[in-house]
Amino acid sequence: MSIRFLSLTLLATLGLGSAHAQKPTPNSKTPAKAPLKAYSAAGKTVKVYATAANTTQRLSAGADLAFAPAGQPLETQVCVFVDPGHSFQTMLGIGGALTDASAETFAKLPKAQQQEFLQAYYSPTKGIGYTLARTSIHSSDFSSGSYTYVADNDKALKTFSVKHDEQFRIPFIKQAMAAAGGKLTLYASPWSPPAWMKDSNNMLRGGKLLPAYRQAWADYYVKFIQTYERLGIPIWGLTVQNEPMATQKWESCIFTGEEERDFIKGFLGPTLAKAGLGGKKLIAWDHNRDLLTQRASAVLDDPQAAKYVWGVGYHWYETWTGSAMLFDNVRRVHETYPDKNLIFTEGCLEKFELATVNRWDLGEKYGMSMIGDFNAGTVGWTDWNVLLDETGGPNHVGNFCYAPIIADTKAGKLIYTNAYYYIGHFAKFIRPGAKRISAASNRDALQTTAFRNPDGTVAVVVMNQTDKPLDFQLWIAGQAAKTTAAPHSIMTMVL
């Protein structure tokens, strides 16, 4: 497969916000944002990269576009309007989760395919340039079995050891870091405390953390961070609990909003600070968009909890209820708590079938979510497993799912779903430190978002989910470049 890529300067991931930022008081005034320097598209050319159904285009470079003077657009003219003079949130990064399942699958690949995989995800020139990653604190469903880092009933955590992770996961993370240029913004999430810390005495099927073990569990996060960092893996941040309102057949633990608030302000926040880890970015919620506003208010309306929280994380699985993706809930939280950050922490397509890895809607769901999330104020976007095998696993409870890249471990080859390319239209061209800029379409058939990178390049993403080609103009400050969005396509225009 021959794919031309645009080479962009790889820029260091910026730290966003403060772990101890206070919510403004009602009488405080938020300083007005200074507009960016006036931007002119006159004389500029546009490089176009496209992925389209029923074609061979996969992040493929097309003919350059040229701007020409354009007056007031008519209502009959289809346009994507971009205004680089107005900016919003700053991009943290885009990436995926480095799970036990991904690590174990990676280890089964021939060396050549391992290197191909690392380059495909982490090279900013020959791949899509991932800069963000998530991993689990001991086991999740995407592990070959349940495990913890301590012996049963060891409240003092004297037996704490990540020896389990040293076989597959830690070497895998280190190789991903190296492929990304030596730095990867990595955060960690627990799926459940050890069984003996819970009222159910079971890591699976929900249950709650017993009050008697709240301090020991807070200490456990600290031990994890310190141990991983001692082994050469920096931890940028952590979430309080994966999916705290879901009783799953796999590792899970329930926290109400009040329980999460109280655990943060009474135990986890102070424990991190006491250990000298107060600068780690603490992320609340880490569950679906449907209850996002309620959880944000439960935690962030308490100043003693909010001072420890960097931001709020969320997933896309609210669609299990029959709902569409609830981007307005993300936007409401951004509007209500502008001093906090929003980060997409997990999403994947479930119920894996190897025969359907080429279905086009895999990528379109990613494109729709990423455009909607970024336009709602999100600063980072994290896919779920970066790699799974031909069964959609391994997964110790049979919860098999899709990943952007599937490894056929029997044949020793990699299968690239179109989700990989759709994510690449964002990750490759919108780099850490980029600022989202104003972008809007005058037709609902064209979805769009745009960012201005630290090096001055502007990246505009346009997606067409319809069955028809759509001619449109990229319109910037009285200059327009004409192009076409193919049926079921995504394109990134860089200028």
Side-chain angles (χ1 to χ4, degrees), residues 17 27 55 107 173 184 190 305 318 370 411 452 456 463 491:
N27 296 323
T55 72
I173 292 173
L184 202 55
E318 68 269 18
M370 296 179 83
R452 191 172 184 178
M463 188 171 74
M491 57 198 300

Side-chain angles (χ1 to χ4, degrees), residues 2 278 303 332:
S2 177
R332 292 293 88 76

Side-chain angles (χ1 to χ4, degrees), residues 348-484:
C348 74
L349 278 87
E350 301 156 287
K351 300 179 181 179
F352 179 81
E353 294 181 20
L354 183 60
T356 63
V357 292
N358 293 319
R359 51 188 275 204
W360 201 256
D361 66 322
L362 291 176
E364 289 187 325
K365 184 169 184 177
Y366 279 87
M368 180 172 65
S369 180
M370 296 179 83
I371 289 171
D373 289 331
F374 290 136
N375 287 344
T378 292
V379 304
W381 210 95
T382 328
D383 183 33
W384 189 206
N385 302 277
V386 291
L387 180 70
L388 292 172
D389 67 17
E390 63 275 5
T391 71
N395 185 291
H396 71 90
V397 291
N399 181 35
F400 301 120
C401 296
Y402 292 84
I405 299 179
I406 298 294
D408 184 339
T409 59
K410 295 176 182 177
K413 67 177 183 179
L414 299 174
I415 301 169
Y416 294 79
T417 75
N418 74 319
Y420 167 82
Y421 300 105
Y422 269 70
I423 296 170
H425 276 276
F426 301 86
K428 185 171 184 63
F429 305 107
I430 302 167
R431 305 303 294 163
K435 286 190 174 292
R436 184 171 66 85
I437 57 177
S438 178
S441 167
N442 64 351
R443 297 291 188 275
D444 63 357
L446 292 180
Q447 300 174 55
T448 187
T449 193
F451 285 77
R452 191 172 184 178
N453 286 298
D455 66 359
T457 59
V458 169
V460 183
V461 180
V462 177
M463 188 171 74
N464 174 13
Q465 285 184 270
T466 75
D467 297 331
K468 298 179 180 179
L470 293 169
D471 297 332
F472 71 95
Q473 298 182 83
L474 176 62
W475 198 98
I476 302 178
Q479 297 281 323
K482 295 181 179 180
T483 188
T484 301

Side-chain angles (χ1 to χ4, degrees), residues 174-428:
K174 287 185 174 181
Q175 288 188 71
M177 287 172 54
K183 183 177 181 181
L184 202 55
T185 301
L186 176 68
Y187 63 99
S189 304
W191 265 241
S192 172
W196 51 272
M197 289 189 183
K198 298 171 68 178
D199 60 4
S200 59
N201 196 34
N202 190 345
M203 288 182 70
L204 316 184
R205 294 184 287 279
K208 290 193 174 188
L209 175 68
L210 288 165
Y213 291 110
R214 288 180 296 187
Q215 185 58 56
W217 185 226
D219 292 337
Y220 201 101
Y221 297 72
V222 169
K223 286 278 192 181
F224 174 83
I225 294 170
Q226 291 174 335
T227 303
Y228 260 56
E229 294 198 333
R230 190 163 57 247
L231 293 172
I233 299 176
I235 302 296
W236 169 85
L238 63 156
T239 74
V240 179
Q241 167 65 44
N242 178 71
E243 299 187 348
M245 287 307 296
T247 298
Q248 306 284 25
K249 63 181 179 180
W250 53 86
E251 289 86 339
S252 46
C253 184
I254 302 299
F255 281 81
T256 66
E258 293 73 22
E259 287 166 343
E260 182 174 10
R261 174 200 67 198
D262 293 346
F263 180 60
I264 290 170
K265 73 176 181 179
F267 297 91
L268 185 55
T271 300
L272 289 167
K274 185 177 179 180
L277 301 175
K280 303 301 180 185
K281 312 306 184 189
L282 186 59
I283 300 165
W285 188 223
D286 197 11
H287 203 167
N288 298 331
R289 300 184 188 97
D290 51 2
L291 297 180
L292 182 63
T293 60
Q294 184 272 335
R295 183 56 57 107
S297 64
V299 174
L300 299 179
D301 284 349
D302 185 319
Q304 295 308 307
K307 69 180 181 180
Y308 294 112
V309 177
W310 172 85
V312 184
Y314 63 93
H315 302 179
W316 74 15
Y317 307 113
E318 68 269 18
T319 53
W320 76 268
T321 65
S323 171
M325 291 185 179
L326 299 171
F327 302 118
D328 278 348
N329 287 357
V330 182
R331 188 172 288 107
R332 292 293 88 76
V333 173
H334 179 59
E335 293 169 345
T336 307
Y337 305 98
D339 60 323
K340 299 301 182 184
N341 298 283
L342 283 152
I343 180 170
F344 182 89
T345 49
E346 184 184 317
C348 74
L349 278 87
E350 301 156 287
K351 300 179 181 179
F352 179 81
E353 294 181 20
L354 183 60
T356 63
V357 292
N358 293 319
R359 51 188 275 204
W360 201 256
D361 66 322
L362 291 176
E364 289 187 325
K365 184 169 184 177
Y366 279 87
M368 180 172 65
S369 180
M370 296 179 83
I371 289 171
D373 289 331
F374 290 136
N375 287 344
T378 292
V379 304
W381 210 95
T382 328
D383 183 33
W384 189 206
N385 302 277
V386 291
L387 180 70
L388 292 172
D389 67 17
E390 63 275 5
T391 71
N395 185 291
H396 71 90
V397 291
N399 181 35
F400 301 120
C401 296
Y402 292 84
I405 299 179
I406 298 294
D408 184 339
T409 59
K410 295 176 182 177
K413 67 177 183 179
L414 299 174
I415 301 169
Y416 294 79
T417 75
N418 74 319
Y420 167 82
Y421 300 105
Y422 269 70
I423 296 170
H425 276 276
F426 301 86
K428 185 171 184 63

